[in-house]
Amino acid sequence: MSQQNATPVKRKEIYKYDAPWTLYGMNWSVRPDKRFRLALGSFIEEYNNKVQIVMLDEEAGDFTPRSTFDHPYPTTKIMWIPDTKGVFPDLLATSGDYLRIWRCISETDTKLEVLLNNNKNSDFCAPLTSFDWNEIDPNLIGTSSIDTTCTIWGLETGQILGRTQVNGHVKTQLIAHDKEVYDIAFSRAGGGRDMFASVGADGSVRMFDLRHLEHSTIIYEDPSHNPLLRLAWNKQDPNYLTTISMDSIEVIILDVRVPCAPVARLNNHRAVVNGVAWAPHSSCHICTSGDDRQALIWDIQQIPRAIEDPILAYTADGEINQVQWSSTQPDWIAICYNNNLEILRV
């Protein structure tokens, strides 16, 4: 009976965190024992930047910074190891001038595990625009660079061999585009290990298979050859992916079975679109965000009929430059604007 008198913690619909600097990079932790943990990257236009790990104290209802460490230049992307069972070391990757793998030693201590540099012969590095960590095989990471290449790295995380130090080697490097490559993402098709796509300044979406790298497939080309900045695969149906072009207010949805022609366009944003995140648990829901301060959730199940309006809209207090849908807690979406992180219950 005494149970009835205990007041359960009332969970809010929105939690907010004010960081010490403008935010850009951001990612949800995947480990089951770290439910509301996120990594944040500063956007300061100079060499010295920061990465901060924050965690939600559900009882207090506040985010608290757990670990803050230096990072050269702003992170172009941050990603936790896609380890849903918590069997690998607690790793975090960042891209910028190089790909770096960090290890969380404790709640409050993070150290650099390895810096992966594919350009051993030069004093100059070609900055990395993005990367993706393979969900099926966490020993694979693919990076994209302004030097027109994508590099697939093989990691030795030490999980199998009991080693402590994480290491990495280049499995393959390929010229992926005619100009800078801006994003890369592994597909869940064909076992989820070998297929990936990239987008770049030449305005094309290209698909690759690690087993047959002698050729690639152009899935889509922007009619005006505008640079394509982002791509994201549907988490449940690997036939679908999205891309956004530079300075565009619409999101393009593609079907790999129907190359070169978008199957849908989402164009309710009133300013430039910056982010796209597919629902982790549903093949027909997607969240988009942009400079109009809006995060919009769409139901696309009536494709190929036109998708007129989003089903949910949230307006933030600033231009949204990042959106991430939590894979382990699909009722939470995180956004960044200015120096703020917000997580929204959907």
Side-chain angles (χ1 to χ4, degrees):
M1 291 294 287
S2 61
Q3 278 293 315
Q4 294 177 342
N5 299 332
T7 52
V9 177
K10 174 90 172 76
R11 192 183 276 184
K12 295 191 290 191
E13 300 296 304
I14 300 174
Y15 293 96
K16 186 173 175 180
Y17 174 67
D18 295 333
W21 2 255
T22 302
L23 294 176
Y24 178 65
M26 177 263 284
N27 192 239
W28 288 92
S29 173
V30 179
R31 289 176 76 92
D33 56 338
K34 302 277 193 281
R35 285 184 2 118
F36 284 96
R37 181 175 69 164
L38 296 100
L40 310 172
S42 67
F43 185 83
I44 306 164
E45 293 192 49
E46 56 184 61
Y47 180 79
N48 297 314
N49 274 260
K50 301 283 186 186
V51 172
Q52 187 171 74
I53 296 169
V54 299
M55 233 169 144
L56 180 67
D57 181 331
E58 292 187 67
E59 288 191 11
D62 291 317
F63 275 105
T64 54
R66 296 298 177 91
S67 171
T68 306
F69 52 94
D70 293 327
H71 192 279
Y73 303 105
T75 58
T76 53
K77 188 167 181 178
I78 297 180
M79 203 172 170
W80 294 90
I81 185 169
D83 177 18
T84 52
K85 298 188 173 66
V87 295
F88 286 89
D90 195 6
L91 301 177
L92 177 71
T94 59
S95 55
D97 51 351
Y98 301 108
L99 178 65
R100 290 175 174 84
I101 312 288
W102 310 80
R103 183 194 290 252
C104 295
I105 311 289
S106 66
E107 291 275 298
T108 55
D109 188 23
T110 309
K111 79 171 179 70
L112 179 64
E113 192 76 3
V114 63
L115 180 151
L116 298 172
N117 171 17
N118 192 23
N119 200 358
K120 296 284 192 286
N121 306 324
S122 169
D123 294 336
F124 304 100
C125 66
L128 300 177
T129 51
S130 186
F131 71 94
D132 194 23
W133 206 326
N134 192 293
E135 292 178 0
I136 302 300
D137 181 358
N139 290 310
L140 286 179
I141 290 185
T143 61
S144 56
S145 171
I146 65 167
D147 69 2
T148 76
T149 69
C150 291
T151 302
I152 306 298
W153 290 89
L155 298 183
E156 296 89 37
T157 57
Q159 181 236 358
I160 312 297
L161 304 173
R163 286 200 321 270
T164 52
Q165 179 69 34
V166 171
N167 242 314
H169 65 279
V170 175
K171 288 182 82 75
T172 188
Q173 183 180 30
L174 57 133
I175 294 173
H177 288 259
D178 302 328
K179 296 180 180 177
E180 297 94 328
V181 190
Y182 288 140
D183 203 5
I184 181 173
F186 286 104
S187 162
R188 289 194 176 178
R193 199 182 165 278
D194 298 296
M195 316 271 283
F196 66 93
S198 60
V199 293
D202 60 8
S204 68
V205 182
R206 301 190 184 202
M207 196 155 147
F208 300 88
D209 186 329
L210 287 174
R211 297 159 297 191
H212 309 287
L213 283 174
E214 61 277 4
H215 60 83
S216 63
T217 306
I218 295 180
I219 300 174
Y220 174 72
E221 287 187 289
D222 183 87
S224 309
H225 300 290
N226 290 326
L228 299 177
L229 300 184
R230 291 279 165 265
L231 87 153
W233 288 98
N234 187 310
K235 300 292 187 193
Q236 296 293 328
D237 184 342
N239 289 310
Y240 292 103
L241 72 161
T242 55
T243 186
I244 49 180
S245 66
M246 186 182 280
D247 299 330
S248 172
I249 62 170
E250 74 175 6
V251 174
I252 293 163
I253 299 181
L254 305 169
D255 183 337
V256 296
R257 297 163 298 188
V258 192
C260 301
V263 288
R265 298 174 187 270
L266 310 179
N267 44 24
N268 267 50
H269 281 284
R270 298 289 168 257
V272 172
V273 179
N274 294 320
V276 177
W278 287 94
H281 59 311
S282 159
S283 63
C284 55
H285 292 95
I286 188 170
C287 183
T288 61
S289 64
D291 280 359
D292 58 0
R293 304 180 170 193
Q294 291 205 98
L296 306 177
I297 294 181
W298 308 77
D299 183 341
I300 63 159
Q301 59 186 320
Q302 64 186 41
I303 280 179
R305 294 207 305 278
I307 314 294
E308 300 289 345
D309 293 301
I311 55 171
L312 282 173
Y314 174 76
T315 304
D317 292 332
E319 297 177 354
I320 302 171
N321 63 20
Q322 190 70 256
V323 60
Q324 299 278 334
W325 203 319
S326 172
S327 60
T328 49
Q329 300 176 94
D331 46 351
W332 291 93
I333 288 175
I335 58 170
C336 289
Y337 60 91
N338 302 332
N339 64 326
N340 303 115
L341 162 75
E342 283 186 358
I343 64 168
L344 317 170
R345 191 176 181 136
V346 292

